[in-house]
Amino acid sequence: MKKDYLIQENPLKALFIFAIPMMIGNLFQQFYAMTDSIVVGRFVGENALAAVGASYSLTTVFISIAIGGGGGASVITGQYFGAGDYKQMKSSIRTALTSFLVLSIVLGVFGFLFSRQIMTALNTPGNILGQAVEYLKIYFLGLPFLFMYNVLSAMFNALGRSRIPLYLLIFSSVFNIVLDIFFVCSLHLGVAGVAWATLIAQGISAFLSFFIFIRELRTYSTADSLGWFEKKAFREMTRVAMPSILQQSAVSIGMMLVQSVVNSFGAEVLAGFSAAMRVENLCMVPMAAMGNAISAYTAQNIGAHKIERVKQGYHTGYGIVFGFALFILIVLEFGYGALIGMFLGDEGTILARQTGMQCLRFMGWFFVLIGLKMITDGVLRGAGDMKVFTIANLVNLSIRVAVAAVYAPRFGIQMVWAAVPLGWLVNYLISFMEYRTGKWEITRKTN
């Protein structure tokens, strides 16, 4: 397959070639995240599942910073790649890697030192606080590995090499699952076992990604080479990456606030909600993959001055999203009980089961909205049109936080997930109106 297939191939074919490896990779990533929950839920207990779930929203904040930063920086990389400017492309890549390594170390130290204070502030139930803090401290030790892996994956994707992160992620996922079972079932390390398993698997994958990526960069010859940190590249990367980081992290911080509302309902509700969130994240994988595919597709085609081709790809994305949404609806409507049962086993309480099943049955009808949001945001992000993209996502966040905080204490936990599709819909409409203006077509030219 040609390296410039996102620019040359039929839009439907190009998007699928790019998205399917990423989709499979993200599925494996979700599978091993689910394995953490399944293993502790079945072999340690419902409280252990709740402890992992209690820290999940916080860990997602840091994952979102890594993904948002890598995705934003990869836009610049993709545009230089599409324009054939390999010297500046390499400069942006090296600067991104250096910047995010430093950031991950700073955040890791902060998180490790203040894990207990953070979890206490999130209303973590007292009977699971110790386990949640133990899990979180180990997680923060591996934060530099998490950042490097996600940023490198975004750079591979920007170059249209999405199969390489796939292979590495499959390896990491399988290895993590094996370590989960060994540490928890054989060594009886509890929640610490799944945390160590994740750290080790991600660390090995990060190192492998780095060495493979360096070899990949050498295939793009340039007359001379710039250093590992260039101010010009940093400014250009920051212009696009910072809004993406702020958007991603703000959404995750908002979900952390929602998590604090859920935590106040107790460990049983938290366990059921955590199980449902794992399944929801799995369902969002194809939508997120299409959003990332559209983003890389847009960046490369704008770099190649093919605006009409971007529009063709966006319209193609609608059909793909509706197809995925129908499949998800059928699976959740007929399988919600079995899916929640995977996490809670036979020992799960009735309240935990009811919470998880109610959430899944409701959410199944609305995944088309997150798909439409993702592909529309993908065009804006790929074009570097970050202002409205950021506003739309912050409005989405505000709706979800406000409804959960105001109405869940009055009317029940159901209000936490009732607000989700409303936020998705408003986000999509705002981004779509910006797309219709056509301002994104000239964003690259005016920066």
Side-chain angles (χ1 to χ4, degrees), residues 1-9 17-18 78 81-82 86 89 156-162 164 215-221 300:
M1 176 59 63
K2 297 178 295 184
K3 292 183 178 181
D4 60 350
Y5 65 89
L6 287 175
I7 302 172
Q8 302 296 339
E9 294 287 351
I17 290 173
F18 185 92
F81 177 82
Y86 298 145
M89 179 189 79
F156 274 122
N157 292 334
L159 304 181
R161 304 284 282 170
S162 57
I164 295 176
R215 188 178 65 180
E216 176 71 17
L217 277 185
R218 290 172 181 163
T219 65
Y220 300 94
S221 59
Q300 287 196 19

Side-chain angles (χ1 to χ4, degrees), residues 355-369:
T355 300
M357 291 189 294
Q358 288 175 6
C359 180
L360 286 188
R361 288 202 72 183
F362 176 83
M363 291 300 300
W365 293 92
F366 300 103
F367 280 98
V368 67
L369 296 177

